[in-house]
Amino acid sequence: QVQLVESGGGLVQAGGSLRLSCAASGRTFSSYAVGWFRQAPGKEREFVAAISWSGGSTNYADSVKGRFTISRNNAKNTVYLQMNSLKPEDTAVYYCAATVTGWAYTPANEYNYWGQGTQVTVSS
């Protein structure tokens, strides 16, 4: 069993930065791949970024490539999402999720555990 808790969301102006954290419980967390997803009001949930169990492989949505960076510290059971050059269209609730596959290209429906989400609001 893995429990995930997101933090670091907030209100920021366009062009600004935020760093989200996903803290996990569970001794086997280091064997899971972790992804970040987001859902804006009235829209479907979408993939943002993912990182493999070792951190050696990452995967990004085209909309965030070059602006967001995902990383992990397995010693701290934490995954991070550094978000730079934020745009109003990045406004959403951001969720982290973990998958036993360990693979950064795992489809969203194969993620096993989800956090409660953290709100990110980017003002223009």
Side-chain angles (χ1 to χ4, degrees), residues 2-7 21-23 34-37 45 93-98 111-118:
V2 174
Q3 292 185 323
L4 305 172
V5 178
E6 303 94 337
S7 62
S21 297
C22 174
V34 175
W36 285 96
F37 297 80
R45 182 184 64 197
V93 177
Y94 284 70
Y95 300 89
C96 68
Y111 278 76
N112 309 98
Y113 304 101
W114 292 81
Q116 293 300 306
T118 185

Side-chain angles (χ1 to χ4, degrees), residues 18-82:
L18 283 174
R19 188 176 81 156
L20 305 184
S21 297
C22 174
S25 65
R27 292 180 297 173
T28 59
F29 177 70
S30 60
S31 65
Y32 288 74
V34 175
W36 285 96
F37 297 80
R38 66 187 182 186
Q39 188 166 21
K43 295 187 177 181
E44 294 187 352
R45 182 184 64 197
E46 65 175 356
F47 169 77
V48 176
I51 189 166
S52 64
W53 68 274
S54 66
S57 177
T58 57
N59 180 23
Y60 294 94
D62 287 343
S63 59
V64 306
K65 279 181 183 177
R67 300 189 298 123
F68 291 11
T69 303
I70 190 169
S71 61
R72 68 189 297 161
N73 184 331
N74 284 340
K76 295 185 176 181
N77 275 8
T78 303
V79 171
Y80 306 97
L81 185 68
Q82 178 67 44

